[in-house]
Amino acid sequence: MSVDLGDLSAFVAVARAKGFRDAARASGASASGLSEAVRRLEAQLGVRLLNRTTRSVVLTDAGHGLLERLGPALNEVETALDVVNGFRDRPAGSLRLNVPVSAARLVLPGIVPPFLAAYPGIRLEVIAEESFVDVLAAGCDAGIRYEERLEQDMIAVPIGPRVQRFATAASPVYLDRHGRPVHPRDLLSHACLRGRFPSGAMMTPWEFERDGEVVRVDPEGPLTVGIGGAVDLAVDAAIAGVGIVGLFEDWLKPYFNRGALEPVLEPWWQAFSGPFLYYPGRRLVPAPLRAFIDFIKCIG
């Protein structure tokens, strides 16, 4: 049976994006064109691959089976075609990155605009989430994570600041009312705003360090937010005087600068290694990803 490679690619794009509009946005094709390609593929195969609703699409069992086998095969085709791409003066094509929200907010804004200006033929898609995923299974070329969350078989390249700090802060109004902590254990008598990872684990204990002494505390408080999209709610609550928030120093710095938040226990803030761009080492690096790697090495 002869099946059009473009129709197969359209099916994979829609299946991964879980919708025609999102797939069209990611691929640069039209939603109607993708829909027609999937219908054509289903007619040729004689089996339904997607159950369509007004808001999304859901894979059928046949669709699941096809995607499981087809995804890696198309990745190999793309890799083979990318060998030719490497001979271009300017690499072209798509680049998909899976990154934590903190990297999308604190690391990529200084990198993405000049990178896209330098490589106008590259289309970049950034997926921001906190769950650790298999980048290839998720249809991504690379990801950004911190060292303790990197798998051993991944190639890692430093990206962004090499040293970051975990900072704690509260509004001046809150601190005037409840007092200013002088030791991390003082936090146990304060209202602290906490975070929960998508896995369900709490972002505790909070860890502090000074002159070789490490102190871990497990604070309590009136508000818990999901790490990622809800973090700004915790910051807003801290500004409003609800309690003490713990977050990346660079995330809180703008609020320090305008006086909305005040640093808490700054001599105890613990430093940690900055993030890494990571990608599988078992395949040829696509030209758009190679260009991105070379770019961050140059500006680093």
Side-chain angles (χ1 to χ4, degrees), residues 11 49 59-72:
F11 162 71
L49 302 172
L59 286 165
T60 63
D61 289 344
H64 271 295
L66 180 60
L67 181 64
E68 186 177 346
R69 300 296 297 272
L70 193 57

Side-chain angles (χ1 to χ4, degrees), residues 14 31 47 236 238 258 276:
V14 173
V47 62
D236 290 340
R258 64 174 185 251
F276 292 83

